[in-house]
Amino acid sequence: MRSLIDPLGRRITYARVSLTEQCNLRCGYCYDSAKGHPSGSDQLSLSDTVRLIRALAAVGITKIRFTGGEPLVRPGIVDLIRHASRIKGIHTIALTTNGLVLEPMLPELVKAGLNRLNISLDTLDRAVFKRITGVDGFDRVYSAIVSAEQSGAFERVKVNTVIMRGSSDGEVRRFALWALARKVDLRFIEFMPAQGSKWGRALFVGEDEIKSRIGLDLIPQSMEGDDAGPATSYSVTGATGRISFISAVSQCFCGSCNRVRITSTGQLMGCLFLNNGSDLTELLADGAGTDEIARHIRTVVSSPGFRRMPRETHIRTFNPFMRRVGG
Ligand code: SAM
């Protein structure tokens, strides 16, 4: 099969699929308190999502990540994972979740084919968690992380953390030590200027500062296969855990970008920072088959400008909300 390659020669093997804009948390950097959570009336049906995944597999995508919004509030997600995991060519099914309702669902998700898991957690402090998310749910998320680790279903559970000045920046070292003592990959994600995020330099804590707050000798790891991508990862001598950085603001990792995105409303997007999605809903409504959708995806990805060029290091506020495009 011909690989999906963009005009700069970057091979795309990974698609992130936002299943819904809805969420069961109200994080200040994502939730719009004036409008509340969107109704989700314009979200793609799960059967159309499966059609798109088939087309993505047909162009060489091997890894699908379900995200949102909160993917676990989308009814039917277990069936979706089961269908997706049976599609020829797809060998990695990943999920990014806030973990709030994860623990009771974990066995059926794993049975359906889930084999990679990222759980978002911005703090190890129960009161701070409530302040950030608007929900008193720290214990449930923490317990889900422990269960996921103990399940043995994942080589390494990844914990996504966005550090912001004034809320969680004082916890960086403690958080890192916590992860290093477990078999967790703690991923510090730089706060990005998404629409509605209330992003500002005053809140931003970059990779350099986080590294200096950790204050440990971090040994670079080279990642291959499914783990290759924008994250840079480090080990620490004698520790089982790992520390990673996803630094879209202070660094440019576009040269190694291997992904496209499907928004919850059926747009194909080539980059978080470009607002030039291609609407796939008409093709789906017209009854297009796998080959036709696949051809369309190839055409879009090969058009110049659809994905950001490595030299374009500046960051603009991007139009889609994070929850729609899938963080
Ligand atoms: N609800 C799921 C979750 O919480 O993991 C999936 C969606 S959420 C948008 C995915 C990740 O994006 C979370 O780790 C969240 O912290 C992160 N995120 C949201 N807004 C962000 C922003 N403006 N900058 C950086 N990361 C952001």
Side-chain angles (χ1 to χ4, degrees):
M1 180 205 309
R2 226 168 13 107
S3 303
L4 185 63
I5 297 183
D6 76 6
L8 277 183
R10 290 171 294 192
R11 189 161 165 248
I12 300 160
T13 54
Y14 175 21
R16 300 174 65 101
V17 179
S18 174
L19 292 182
T20 178
E21 287 187 61
Q22 296 180 315
C23 189
N24 44 7
L25 295 182
R26 299 187 296 277
C27 303
Y29 53 86
C30 196
Y31 178 70
D32 184 340
S33 53
K35 292 192 182 143
H37 287 302
S39 69
S41 56
D42 54 353
Q43 68 198 12
L44 215 55
S45 70
L46 294 187
S47 55
D48 281 348
T49 305
V50 172
R51 289 170 66 199
L52 287 185
I53 295 172
R54 276 204 197 98
L56 288 163
V59 296
I61 298 291
T62 59
K63 174 177 176 181
I64 299 287
R65 175 176 301 280
F66 293 116
T67 178
E70 173 48 42
L72 294 185
V73 303
R74 181 80 197 257
I77 179 156
V78 175
D79 284 341
L80 175 63
I81 288 178
R82 188 174 302 112
H83 284 301
S85 68
R86 287 176 185 163
I87 293 173
K88 190 165 169 259
I90 302 292
H91 58 70
T92 303
I93 303 276
L95 177 75
T96 299
T97 171
N98 61 34
L100 197 66
V101 297
L102 172 64
E103 195 172 11
M105 297 177 74
L106 202 50
E108 51 178 351
L109 289 165
V110 170
K111 195 165 165 220
L114 184 72
N115 52 18
R116 289 278 202 288
L117 181 63
N118 290 44
I119 302 176
S120 301
L121 181 67
D122 292 347
T123 174
L124 287 175
D125 182 300
R126 189 173 290 116
V128 176
F129 181 95
K130 189 172 175 193
R131 219 163 35 238
I132 293 173
T133 65
V135 173
D136 189 9
F138 175 81
D139 290 346
R140 273 180 280 166
V141 177
Y142 192 88
S143 180
I145 293 172
V146 174
S147 283
E149 267 187 285
Q150 290 174 349
S151 72
F154 311 100
E155 193 191 325
R156 199 177 278 274
V157 174
K158 296 181 177 175
V159 172
N160 290 353
T161 299
V162 178
I163 296 293
M164 280 196 231
R165 194 162 319 282
S167 56
S168 51
D169 50 332
E171 281 185 59
V172 167
R173 185 175 161 87
R174 176 177 165 227
F175 220 145
L177 293 174
W178 169 83
L180 288 167
R182 319 179 68 92
K183 215 177 165 213
V184 158
D185 182 353
L186 180 62
R187 295 147 68 87
F188 289 104
I189 303 176
E190 283 184 349
F191 182 29
M192 294 182 273
Q195 190 181 148
S197 65
K198 307 166 200 84
W199 189 92
R201 280 277 161 201
L203 292 175
F204 177 76
V205 183
E207 176 175 332
D208 288 350
E209 179 178 337
I210 293 176
K211 279 184 173 156
S212 104
R213 282 179 180 263
I214 292 172
L216 296 172
D217 191 11
L218 298 176
I219 306 159
Q221 302 292 294
S222 77
M223 294 297 156
E224 279 161 18
D226 274 349
D227 283 332
T232 49
S233 295
Y234 298 84
S235 65
V236 169
T237 304
T240 46
R242 200 158 67 192
I243 304 290
S244 300
F245 297 90
I246 302 177
S247 305
V249 178
S250 72
Q251 317 273 327
C252 178
F253 46 58
C254 304
S256 61
C257 181
N258 59 353
R259 63 201 55 194
V260 289
R261 293 162 188 270
I262 305 284
T263 68
S264 58
T265 52
Q267 310 276 313
L268 174 69
M269 292 191 65
C271 173
L272 265 184
F273 295 101
L274 291 178
N275 190 25
N276 59 353
S278 168
D279 187 6
L280 302 173
T281 56
E282 267 182 41
L283 264 182
L284 291 165
D286 288 349
T290 302
D291 290 350
E292 193 180 342
I293 303 171
R295 262 197 310 278
H296 179 83
I297 293 172
R298 279 194 192 283
T299 305
V300 171
V301 168
S302 59
S303 35
F306 178 64
R307 304 179 78 229
R308 203 159 72 131
M309 302 293 138
R311 63 184 179 281
E312 291 176 6
T313 54
H314 59 284
I315 295 285
R316 318 160 205 167
T317 298
F318 50 94
N319 250 333
F321 284 96
M322 193 64 126
R323 56 180 184 252
R324 175 173 292 191
V325 76

